[in-house]
Amino acid sequence: AKLEGANVYVTTMESRQDDYMKTMGVKCLPLAPSKWLHKLKGKMDIVIDNTCFDSYDSSWKALNSKGLLVCTGMTSIYSFQDFGVSTGGCACDAFGDIRDYQAKWAAIKARYMMSQTKFHDLWESFQNDPKKYQQELKYLCFLVESGTLKPRIAERVSIEEVPDAQRYLETGKANGTIVCLP
């Protein structure tokens, strides 16, 4: 988008992320919508929201009258409470993890109630067409093996460390991907 002349904005949690994103020519905004929405409300042509910070509300409000919101994830429902503070655990009650219900509600809202919105559930897509993803994975492996794609590895962990690594990834502080070693 930047190469085509678009103004690109990202929200980040910390200055280390800002520094990296700025090297790509994008403008960094704080994670909390209360700190940026008043400046951008109604001005964006497209918003890609992969965290669902506030059930997609701030992203939707940032759209102009012909804009499009693309919803691709809900990690913040499981990671953040009160604009950026890690919950550090399960929000469970007698009916299970309440965050599962919040995620389902956000998906229903994005799919059926918010105009100008497209919702894409990666896990659902994978389940519906696993052969497509097998082919894409093979291609990605080819790109890595040929040196065309060089993934940034933040950390290597054992299988026992996977739960901690997942929690770390969800904080947004990992500078790259985490690899599980056999």
Side-chain angles (χ1 to χ4, degrees), residues 111-163:
R111 277 189 170 128
Y112 306 111
M113 299 168 70
M114 298 173 93
S115 61
Q116 302 167 246
T117 302
K118 302 288 181 198
F119 182 83
H120 179 72
D121 184 325
L122 186 60
W123 178 246
E124 184 179 286
S125 297
F126 174 75
Q127 289 177 315
N128 291 338
D129 192 2
K131 288 186 190 257
K132 172 185 174 186
Y133 290 91
Q134 286 175 336
Q135 183 177 349
E136 290 177 1
L137 180 58
K138 287 177 185 177
Y139 182 64
L140 284 173
C141 289
F142 166 77
L143 292 174
V144 170
E145 289 171 358
S146 69
T148 304
L149 180 64
K150 296 178 182 170
R152 179 180 284 176
I153 297 178
E155 214 174 309
R156 291 168 177 83
V157 299
S158 67
I159 192 74
E160 294 81 18
E161 297 171 299
V162 167

Side-chain angles (χ1 to χ4, degrees), residues 6-150:
N7 290 317
V8 178
Y9 298 89
V10 297
T11 56
T12 60
M13 287 182 51
E14 55 187 58
S15 62
R16 178 176 52 92
Q17 293 169 329
D18 286 0
D19 295 341
Y20 175 69
M21 297 307 290
K22 286 177 184 175
T23 65
M24 294 187 280
V26 303
K27 297 171 184 159
C28 298
L29 302 170
L31 186 62
S34 61
K35 296 182 179 177
W36 58 265
L37 184 59
H38 63 283
K39 297 176 191 170
L40 296 173
K41 189 173 185 176
K43 295 183 179 178
M44 295 189 167
D45 294 322
I46 186 167
V47 176
I48 301 170
D49 188 331
N50 65 352
T51 61
C52 188
F53 189 72
D54 56 1
S55 297
Y56 304 118
D57 287 337
S58 57
S59 296
W60 188 75
K61 288 176 183 172
L63 294 176
N64 64 33
S65 62
K66 295 181 181 179
L68 177 66
L69 170 60
V70 180
C71 306
T72 63
M74 295 185 214
T75 57
S76 67
I77 287 176
Y78 294 94
S79 303
F80 305 109
Q81 181 98 11
D82 300 326
F83 302 120
V85 178
S86 177
T87 60
C90 176
C92 300
D93 65 10
F95 298 105
D97 190 338
I98 193 73
R99 298 170 299 181
D100 291 336
Y101 297 105
Q102 291 171 325
K104 287 185 188 324
W105 169 244
I108 289 169
K109 190 167 90 170
R111 277 189 170 128
Y112 306 111
M113 299 168 70
M114 298 173 93
S115 61
Q116 302 167 246
T117 302
K118 302 288 181 198
F119 182 83
H120 179 72
D121 184 325
L122 186 60
W123 178 246
E124 184 179 286
S125 297
F126 174 75
Q127 289 177 315
N128 291 338
D129 192 2
K131 288 186 190 257
K132 172 185 174 186
Y133 290 91
Q134 286 175 336
Q135 183 177 349
E136 290 177 1
L137 180 58
K138 287 177 185 177
Y139 182 64
L140 284 173
C141 289
F142 166 77
L143 292 174
V144 170
E145 289 171 358
S146 69
T148 304
L149 180 64
K150 296 178 182 170

